[in-house]
Amino acid sequence: VMRRNPFGMDICCRKGSRSPLQELYNPTQVSLSNTAVLHQIRRDQVTDTCRANSVSSRKRRVLTPNDLKHLVVDEDHEMIYCYVPKVACTNWKRVMMVLTGRGKYSNPMEIPANEAHVSSNLKTLNQYSIPEINHRLKNYMKFLFVREPFERLVSAYRNKFTQKYNTSFHKRYGTKIVRRQRKNATQEALRKGDDVKFEEFVAYLIDPHTQREEPFNEHWQTVYSLCHPCHIHYDLIGKYETLEEDSNYVLQLAGVGNYLKFPTYAKSTRTTDEMTTEFFQNISSLHQTQLYEVYKLDFLMFNYSVPSYLKLE
């Protein structure tokens, strides 16, 4: 028996109903209005941080199309999602594929992870003309998800440098890190780059040479640089710590909350606060201080306090 896909009609073309942006700022449901207050506080925090740090960020630069490649556009629900690697971005990309797939996909978790990262499966804002970009930035609900910066960093390190299958990262970054940070490195380590220590990774990140050479890889780039929250006004800032509630709130605003839920998963391999604490034990206080400076805006902007395990100079 062919079952009609419940996403068929409803998920596409929500014309005639309220847009997520209207629902966010003028909620019709009481349950949505309580949450709206929380997100107003988060927005204010970003605005205040941008204002306080605009002096140090020199003159405000104009965004280029290249700056917009992390912003995924959902035309049917008038939403823009800026994805940040290591903050549930695979699952959010899966959800965006369900939302924009016009019935092609119905269950996010049936989409293979590698498929979620195929760039042609989602449309990003840099593929539009300047007037189209401006129109969408003004009229669509823009959201992103953030995570405690050092927990995200340790998560990226564990994923990219301790897993044997990530040979492309070992070759591209690992060999460079070993060459630059390790005295008396063996020929094998220089060739493979597959045994980078966390201390070496940190030394590489704070090395001024690294900053000059090329932008950070997106897995450890700051949210500030990936999503440009001081240039783009995000309507909604979700947090990894409250991932499920925040994600389902976005889906409710989009009018699809009744039949699309954000995938939950209990991953035992997840990077935790305790794990992050352990990784930082061998980092000198000087390096901790320099690393904090690199990610400081993310800490301030998204209201993460300085971790208790840090010994800052």
Side-chain angles (χ1 to χ4, degrees):
V1 180
M2 284 200 50
R3 214 156 47 84
R4 189 181 149 272
N5 176 0
F7 295 85
M9 273 319 291
D10 327 45
I11 250 187
C12 147
C13 335
R14 46 172 296 124
K15 296 297 161 260
S17 58
R18 285 159 59 85
S19 76
L21 209 53
Q22 291 168 323
E23 197 55 66
L24 174 66
Y25 290 106
N26 299 296
T28 47
Q29 300 171 41
V30 177
S31 61
L32 293 182
S33 57
N34 300 339
T35 317
V37 177
L38 166 73
H39 287 279
Q40 181 61 57
I41 293 167
R42 290 182 187 173
R43 281 195 296 277
D44 291 345
Q45 177 79 19
V46 171
T47 308
D48 294 347
T49 308
C50 291
R51 202 172 290 135
N53 291 277
S54 61
V55 187
S56 61
S57 64
R58 297 180 301 282
K59 82 178 196 13
R60 180 175 165 147
R61 65 188 193 81
V62 177
L63 293 181
T64 65
N66 194 44
D67 292 321
L68 305 174
K69 61 179 189 285
H70 272 248
L71 280 79
V72 175
V73 182
D74 171 2
E75 292 290 352
D76 295 333
H77 303 89
E78 302 190 348
M79 299 197 299
I80 295 174
Y81 159 59
C82 183
Y83 69 90
V84 178
K86 306 313 298 171
V87 193
C89 93
T90 305
N91 277 352
W92 255 112
K93 283 181 175 181
R94 285 170 163 145
V95 169
M96 293 301 274
M97 281 172 72
V98 172
L99 289 172
T100 59
R102 309 227 162 170
K104 190 175 166 190
Y105 312 97
S106 60
N107 178 357
M109 293 319 275
E110 280 173 6
I111 301 171
N114 57 341
E115 191 142 324
H117 296 293
V118 173
S119 55
S120 58
N121 282 334
L122 291 165
K123 196 157 185 193
T124 47
L125 197 57
N126 58 338
Q127 296 170 310
Y128 293 83
S129 69
I130 304 285
E132 288 172 331
I133 288 171
N134 288 333
H135 170 78
R136 280 157 186 74
L137 284 175
K138 191 171 157 210
N139 297 293
Y140 286 16
M141 183 177 85
K142 300 164 296 300
F143 68 98
L144 79 164
F145 276 77
V146 299
R147 182 177 186 177
E148 202 280 340
F150 285 170
E151 197 180 288
R152 177 176 164 243
L153 190 66
V154 168
S155 175
Y157 165 77
R158 289 179 65 217
N159 179 249
K160 299 303 172 197
F161 295 108
T162 70
Q163 304 289 342
K164 289 293 172 220
Y165 60 81
N166 266 322
T167 47
S168 61
F169 266 83
H170 303 158
K171 281 267 186 292
R172 175 148 189 221
Y173 296 100
T175 52
K176 190 187 290 181
I177 294 171
V178 169
R179 190 174 66 243
R180 215 181 280 170
Q181 307 300 339
R182 190 179 302 176
K183 290 183 176 70
N184 313 322
T186 64
Q187 282 308 306
E188 188 182 22
L190 288 165
R191 192 180 80 251
K192 284 188 169 174
D194 64 352
D195 64 343
V196 170
K197 296 184 181 70
F198 186 64
E199 298 88 295
E200 295 170 329
F201 179 52
V202 168
Y204 162 79
L205 293 174
I206 58 180
D207 183 347
H209 187 83
T210 306
Q211 309 262 6
R212 284 195 302 269
E213 190 174 51
E214 58 178 346
F216 275 2
N217 176 278
E218 60 175 21
H219 289 85
W220 48 86
Q221 180 61 280
T222 59
V223 177
Y224 172 75
S225 305
L226 287 176
C227 295
H228 313 284
C230 290
H231 297 75
I232 294 170
H233 172 81
Y234 286 93
D235 303 289
L236 204 134
I237 295 144
K239 292 200 160 189
Y240 192 74
E241 295 75 19
T242 47
L243 178 62
E244 232 176 292
E245 303 94 289
D246 293 346
S247 298
N248 288 321
Y249 178 55
V250 173
L251 296 175
Q252 260 184 296
L253 293 170
V256 299
N258 295 340
Y259 40 85
L260 181 57
K261 292 279 177 274
F262 192 77
T264 56
Y265 61 103
K267 256 179 118 181
S268 53
T269 56
R270 229 202 78 189
T271 302
T272 60
D273 185 44
E274 295 77 51
M275 217 180 270
T276 306
T277 305
E278 267 174 56
F279 273 90
F280 272 85
Q281 301 228 294
N282 299 330
I283 308 296
S284 71
S285 56
L286 173 63
H287 281 188
Q288 288 187 4
T289 306
Q290 290 171 310
L291 191 69
Y292 180 76
E293 280 304 314
V294 174
Y295 292 93
K296 185 177 177 181
L297 277 178
D298 281 4
F299 275 100
L300 297 174
M301 201 167 273
F302 306 117
N303 206 17
Y304 288 107
S305 50
V306 177
S308 57
Y309 55 77
L310 284 194
K311 310 178 285 287
L312 297 183
E313 292 203 336

